[in-house]
Structure formats: C-alpha cells, structure tokens
Amino acid sequence: MKKRLLSLLTLTAGVVLLAACGVQTEDQASNGNSAASTSETTAKNTIELLGTSSNETDMNIVRDQLIKNGFDVKLNTQPDYASFQTQKEAGNYDLAISSWTTVTGNPDYAVRSLFITDGDNSSMSNSEVDALIDEAALQTADEYTQTYKELEDVLVTENAYIAPLYTSLKAQAFNSELLKPDSIRLSKSRAFAWENVQFNDTALNDTESLLLTQTMGDLTSLDPIKGNDGSINQLNTNMYVRLVNLTDDDKVVSDGSLSYNHAIADGNSDYYFILRDDINFAAVEDGQAVDTGKMVSGQDAIFSLNRAKNPNSVPDHRTYSLHEHIDSASLVTDLAELENAQLSDGSGSVKEALEAGLEAPIAAVVEDAEQVDNASGNYQVIKMTTTEPFPQVLNYLAHQSAGIVSQEQVESINTYDIENFDITTDIPYGDQRTVTKGETYDNHLYASGPYIMIQKDDYAATFQKNPAYMAGTENEAQIANVTVRFIGDADSALSALRSGEIHLLYGLDETKYDVVEGEDSLTLQSMPSNGVTYMLFNTNGRDVSDSADLRKSILYSINQDEISSAYDGLKLKAYSTVSPLVDTGNELVADPAKVEEFYQNYLDSAN
C-alpha cells in the first residue's frame, strides 16, 4: 500500500490554481495579460546563465523564456557546486541560479547575509537596502511586514538585483520498513536531526548504521563558524549543541539544547540561559568516539559566542554577520540579578522563568565549571546582551554556526598567526584534511552534539554517537552509527534509496514524488519550505552590472506560472528570499511589454 505523510502541507486550491496558470485563456492571449503578449519582440543581448547540472530544468526553462523575449542565452552548466563557485568568483556569468533556505526561521536571516553591504554572501552594495534590513531587524512581526515590502521594492522592483523563480516544498523520503516513521522529523528550517531516528527493530540501533546522503562531499569546514552551505549544515548541526533550538515549525525552544530554559528580560536586550550539566565533549581515539570527561560549560559557550560575532576570530569567517548583534556574553554570578530582572512580557522574574520545570530550583549560580551540580541546584547561567533590542537574535543562536565548541581544544589547534594564515601550511580547527583518510588524517574534533565524525573519504563520512550527550534522556542519540554518503546526482540518490543503499533521502525534487509513492517500502514527507530559488545578477564587469533597466527587462521575462507547471504545480511563487516568511503582497508577473520598455530604456541610456 502506498504511504505518504504530509507535515503541515495541504495542497489548497491556491496551489492547484498555480499549476493551472501555465494554461492561457483566449482572452489572456488576446489582451496581453500573460507571457503571450502582443508586444513586438526585439533582438537583445546575449545573457550568460550560470548553474549546475542539478539546476538543468530551471536553466532550460529560463533560457526558453529569455529567448522568447528576444534575448540570446549562453548556458554555463557546471557539474558540481565547487565548479559553480569557481565560475562565479571568476565573474563568468550574467545570471547565476542561486538558492537560499532560511534555516533559522526568521526573516532577517533571509536577507542580511545575502544583500547587506559586506554581508557574508553579498556581492552588492545599496545604502537604502542596508537601512531597510537594519530597520526591519529591530521590529516585531506585526511591524516589519511593511518594512520588508519596502525592502523588496528596492531590491527587486526598482533595481532588480535578483530575479525570483520560486519557493520550494521541502521533502524527504525514507524506508519505513526499516525506520520508525514517528522517529523521523521533517523541520521547516533546521537541518535533519539524527538523534531521534530509530530502526523499527530497536535491536539494530546499536549494530546497524543509519545510511543517509548529501550532495556535497567537499566540506567547507567542520568549525561551525567557517561554513554556511549544503556541505556542512546537516553535519555541523548534528555535531555541535546550541543554546536554543528550533521546533519543526520554527519556534525557538530550549528543548534538546544546552539550556534547560531561556528568558528575555524587559527591554529585549538581555537574554538569559540556564545550562545543563549532562553533556560532555566527545573526541575520537583509535577510530572510536570517546567521552573526554570535559563538560560543555558556560565558558565554552561564551567563547563560542565571542568568536562567532568577531569577523577576525578566524580566517575566512563566513557567518559573523549572523551574530553581529551580540554585544557581550558573561556568566551571571549574583542570584539577585535573576530575581530582580523582569521578563519582557511582564509575566514574572527571569529567575522564575529559568526555574520552570527544573528538578532542583536554583540555589546558586556558579562561575567555576567544577562547582556545577544541577541536582543540588548549582547552575551556570549565561547573560547575553545585544547591541540593541533584537529578539530575532534567538533564531540565530539556533543556527549551526552558533554551535558550542571547546575553548581548550580550539585554542590548542588554532595556534597560527591569523594575519599571516597560509592554508597550505596551517591546519585550522575543523579542516576536513584532518578527518580525511590518508596521510593527513589526525582527527582533532571535539563534538558537543549528539554525534562526532570519525572519518571521511571521497564517498562517505562516518559518525558515532557522543557517549556523553544527555545519556538516559529522550535527547540521547538512539542509533549508534551514521554514514553519510556523498551522491552528487539527485537521480542516483533516489535510486540508492529505492535499492536500499541508503535509508533516508533528505531533499527530494517535486517531480520525483510519484516515484516514491509508487514504492511500498517508502514513505514521503513534505511541507512548504523556507527555500527560495532565484537568479543573482553579476554586479561587476557586465552590462547587467551597470543597468537596472537591462536587469528589469530580464526580470519581467520570467514567468513563474510556467515554472510551477513544469513541476506539476508544486513550486510556489516568490518575490524575494523573504517570501516564505513574510507576506508582503508583492508578486512577479511576466510582462513582455515591460521587457521591451525597459530594454529600450537601456538602449537609450547607452547611446
């Protein structure tokens, strides 16, 4: 019997209509209200479209839409992400197929890194964009909708720095004959969590490996602050615990994190976290995960926060802009501070909020990690202060880049001179060379999360559970061993699932849902995601770099209804990367008349 689990997903009439939008009525065709406008099409520039082989469908659709509107198109198709990045950094594109998933569940993450001047992933600079991003960051949800609309107006409508394509569903498929369906989580934002997963035959949890897959095998870094991409997000999420977590529907909670509870004090600038004492760092000795006996402490958490916010703490820091609103972090040493500080919602004291549900109330707050004893009421409490009132900071603390590392271990490895760092001779903490089979292998990882990587090669990475991670609680890792296989081709990954070579496929193209539903042994989970696919314009050295009119001519060539139809109506409309989180009311409607108008403006300004 076919099985399908739908998490938070109902295919409403809106999605059905979206699928039907690719079919024009006679009135639409005659009145020019769709892509079939009667506007005369002129021959236009050659546009170089950069993407990977996994983007082939999108690239072909966009190519056809641009050609229909008079553009010539050169496809620059790269076999993998690394090659794509090389071409992108060399500037060999006019448009690059890009995607962004807001894995923190908050709209600031959807824009800051991508579009603010000097952002980790930004190639543009616009002072109005910068100001709107900063303005929205300080507003509450009922206030920032209008601000994000204005941001989209500047980013897309007025300047066409990006051309949005669609929002995707998030889906995964697993072998339900082997894995317990109710142990498999599908989260809107956070990467797939391994610790809950169990085999149907629980006796296999200790003897069999959970077999997973991901596209990229070349890992950016296993230091959580040095990578923010598909090569490490899932891996680092499962290797490093954080101060808070996201639920499957993007609520910030302490469940399964380093803190029992957290609290926001009056004024929305002071944040408190009461830490648990049942997590030690794991290390690897003789190919096995071992308990180091070293508790993940408040000192480690403060060290991790300070290096996360400091762009100069490591060479090639790729996530600092996510944490730039952290001003300071310290251990609370006076219990009276918690008693006197009131919650931001006025419901009581910070102490009362931190004590909620604890087996032992707070008897003392201690600074020395050796004095921590939760059972006796001795706790470490961290106070974090932001540069300004910024409740969205909690979402960033749930991101893998806020994973807690060992201060002692990281400092013992990172002994290089940062200003003179040389990647050919210096081996920083988290460098994949140290976990790769062969002469460079020297595993120096200290994992604070439920799993630690043992080793990797070109084909797979192996992990073992942290033996000292919340042992005896519901958050203890259930399966002892995990193998993540690197399979770059989506069809090959699906074939591996169907043949039993992997147990779960995280990330499934909408066009393959019917394949999974046709297999009795497989179960499909899907939900609307925070992932947006868009095209990024080259901002340097190309005609599109200098002309907003040329970019807008390309923008209005894009027909999102046609794109969704190619995916059986399962792609949702987007206007920017913030679309899945904030309904701004903006919508991109293909308009050949505007294509011609803006292209003529471009020609006029060029002459």
Side-chain angles (χ1 to χ4, degrees):
M1 181 177 65
K2 297 179 182 179
K3 291 166 285 185
R4 178 168 182 161
L5 299 179
L6 292 177
S7 302
L8 303 179
L9 172 61
T10 301
L11 292 180
T12 63
V15 177
V16 174
L17 287 173
L18 187 60
C21 285
V23 180
Q24 300 171 24
T25 67
E26 183 177 348
D27 289 341
Q28 286 176 323
S30 61
N31 293 330
N33 291 328
S34 72
S37 173
T38 57
S39 298
E40 182 179 351
T41 299
T42 59
K44 300 179 179 67
N45 294 36
T46 296
I47 303 300
E48 184 174 4
L49 178 60
L50 173 64
T52 67
S53 56
S54 62
N55 303 133
E56 183 177 7
T57 300
D58 295 336
M59 295 178 74
N60 289 337
I61 295 172
V62 169
R63 176 198 59 199
D64 293 346
Q65 291 181 351
L66 291 176
I67 289 175
K68 182 169 64 176
N69 284 278
F71 291 96
D72 192 12
V73 179
K74 174 185 176 183
L75 295 185
N76 183 352
T77 307
Q78 295 300 308
D80 52 44
Y81 181 74
S83 301
F84 168 87
Q85 280 294 101
T86 299
Q87 288 291 302
K88 187 174 176 220
E89 290 169 4
N92 296 330
Y93 70 100
D94 293 298
L95 284 165
I97 300 284
S98 305
S99 62
W100 185 259
T101 300
T102 302
V103 295
T104 59
N106 64 308
D108 188 70
Y109 180 87
V111 294
R112 180 172 298 277
S113 176
L114 294 175
F115 306 125
I116 204 165
T117 301
D118 295 328
D120 303 318
N121 297 283
S122 177
S123 59
M124 56 171 283
S125 178
N126 181 294
S127 59
E128 193 171 0
V129 168
D130 295 348
L132 288 167
I133 289 174
D134 285 335
E135 180 182 351
L138 306 183
Q139 296 174 327
T140 59
D142 58 348
E143 298 171 327
Y144 60 45
T145 298
Q146 179 60 31
T147 307
Y148 282 118
K149 181 187 185 307
E150 293 173 12
L151 172 62
E152 286 187 335
D153 289 341
V154 177
L155 182 71
V156 183
T157 313
E158 298 173 14
N159 292 288
Y161 290 121
I162 65 170
L165 298 180
Y166 54 79
T167 299
S168 293
L169 302 181
K170 184 176 183 179
Q172 62 191 20
F174 63 93
N175 188 325
S176 50
E177 292 182 350
L178 289 175
L179 302 180
K180 278 188 177 181
D182 60 3
S183 74
I184 309 297
R185 295 177 53 182
L186 178 62
S187 301
K188 186 174 178 66
S189 294
R190 68 174 290 182
F192 181 65
W194 305 343
E195 67 264 28
N196 308 103
V197 182
Q198 297 187 57
F199 288 106
N200 286 319
D201 179 359
T202 55
L204 301 178
N205 289 345
D206 291 328
T207 61
E208 298 296 320
S209 289
L210 173 64
L211 303 178
L212 308 173
T213 184
Q214 70 175 37
T215 302
M216 303 178 195
D218 185 19
L219 310 181
T220 305
S221 178
L222 299 172
D223 182 340
I225 65 173
K226 294 190 65 175
N228 189 19
D229 57 64
S231 76
I232 50 78
N233 282 341
Q234 180 182 185
L235 310 186
N236 284 347
T237 293
N238 285 284
M239 284 208 297
Y240 298 98
V241 72
R242 296 159 298 282
L243 285 174
V244 290
N245 276 324
L246 290 179
T247 62
D248 293 344
D249 58 351
D250 286 347
K251 294 181 175 60
V252 178
V253 295
S254 288
D255 300 343
S257 75
L258 183 60
S259 67
Y260 288 114
N261 292 306
H262 65 277
I264 307 175
D266 187 35
N268 293 327
S269 288
D270 292 331
Y271 301 78
Y272 293 87
F273 308 85
I274 185 165
L275 306 188
R276 56 193 310 144
D277 65 356
D278 59 353
I279 305 176
N280 289 352
F281 287 103
V284 175
E285 295 180 4
D286 299 325
Q288 299 294 315
V290 298
D291 176 6
T292 64
K294 298 177 181 179
M295 184 184 75
V296 181
S297 69
Q299 285 82 357
D300 295 308
I302 291 169
F303 171 76
S304 300
L305 294 179
N306 284 334
R307 71 194 297 265
K309 72 168 185 171
N310 179 7
N312 300 314
S313 61
V314 292
D316 198 23
H317 194 326
R318 301 192 182 188
T319 60
Y320 61 87
S321 68
L322 306 184
H323 306 290
E324 62 187 3
H325 284 91
I326 298 176
D327 182 46
S328 63
S330 60
L331 284 166
V332 175
T333 58
D334 185 357
L335 188 57
E337 178 179 346
L338 304 182
E339 295 169 336
N340 295 331
Q342 298 299 302
L343 297 173
S344 61
D345 62 4
S347 62
S349 71
V350 167
K351 180 174 181 291
E352 291 169 338
L354 295 182
E355 281 183 327
L358 296 183
E359 293 186 5
I362 304 173
V365 286
V366 299
E367 187 171 10
D368 189 344
E370 297 295 328
Q371 297 177 337
V372 173
D373 183 359
N374 293 174
S376 300
N378 294 341
Y379 298 90
Q380 285 189 316
V381 174
I382 288 178
K383 175 184 180 181
M384 187 189 72
T385 301
T386 54
T387 55
E388 47 206 329
F390 185 51
Q392 290 192 54
V393 73
L394 290 174
N395 294 78
Y396 287 125
L397 295 183
H399 187 250
Q400 62 87 16
S401 61
I404 309 303
V405 297
S406 164
Q407 178 176 2
E408 178 183 1
Q409 183 69 358
V410 170
E411 288 182 338
S412 72
I413 300 298
N414 289 354
T415 58
Y416 50 78
D417 179 2
I418 292 179
E419 292 184 0
N420 297 306
F421 177 78
D422 185 348
I423 191 61
T424 63
T425 56
D426 296 322
I427 307 295
Y429 177 82
D431 192 302
Q432 69 169 339
R433 290 172 289 184
T434 66
V435 294
T436 301
K437 284 183 180 179
E439 60 183 17
T440 64
Y441 184 86
D442 183 21
N443 195 324
H444 60 219
L445 297 177
Y446 263 41
S448 59
Y451 287 91
I452 186 168
M453 182 184 289
I454 304 301
Q455 64 181 14
K456 73 173 287 285
D457 55 26
D458 291 338
Y459 307 101
T462 58
F463 298 78
Q464 288 183 7
K465 67 182 287 187
N466 179 349
Y469 182 85
M470 303 194 201
T473 74
E474 63 181 2
N475 297 305
E476 177 184 2
Q478 299 300 305
I479 292 179
N481 298 284
V482 175
T483 296
V484 177
R485 293 182 172 169
F486 306 134
I487 306 177
D489 179 70
D491 288 338
S492 298
L494 180 55
S495 295
L497 177 68
R498 298 175 69 189
S499 66
E501 297 173 50
I502 59 173
H503 300 147
L504 183 145
L505 177 56
Y506 179 71
L508 183 71
D509 190 276
E510 290 91 340
T511 61
K512 303 299 182 182
Y513 287 6
D514 60 336
V515 177
V516 171
E517 291 176 318
E519 296 278 353
D520 290 343
S521 63
L522 302 182
T523 293
L524 173 70
Q525 295 175 317
S526 63
M527 67 192 305
S529 79
N530 288 341
V532 175
T533 296
Y534 61 98
M535 295 188 296
L536 180 70
F537 285 94
N538 194 334
T539 58
N540 185 37
R542 296 283 181 126
D543 290 342
V544 295
S545 310
D546 302 323
S547 174
D549 285 316
L550 177 56
R551 296 195 297 269
K552 285 189 278 189
S553 182
I554 294 170
L555 173 70
Y556 286 105
S557 300
I558 303 304
N559 188 316
Q560 294 186 349
D561 294 330
E562 290 180 353
I563 296 173
S564 183
S565 293
Y567 289 94
D568 298 327
L570 296 175
K571 295 295 188 185
L572 311 179
K573 287 197 171 186
Y575 201 74
S576 78
T577 47
V578 84
S579 294
L581 299 110
V582 183
D583 182 7
T584 64
N586 284 330
E587 181 180 353
L588 177 62
V589 178
D591 191 334
K594 288 184 178 180
V595 172
E596 298 301 321
E597 174 190 350
F598 287 117
Y599 193 78
Q600 188 59 50
N601 291 344
Y602 157 67
L603 292 178
D604 292 343
S605 63
N607 293 329

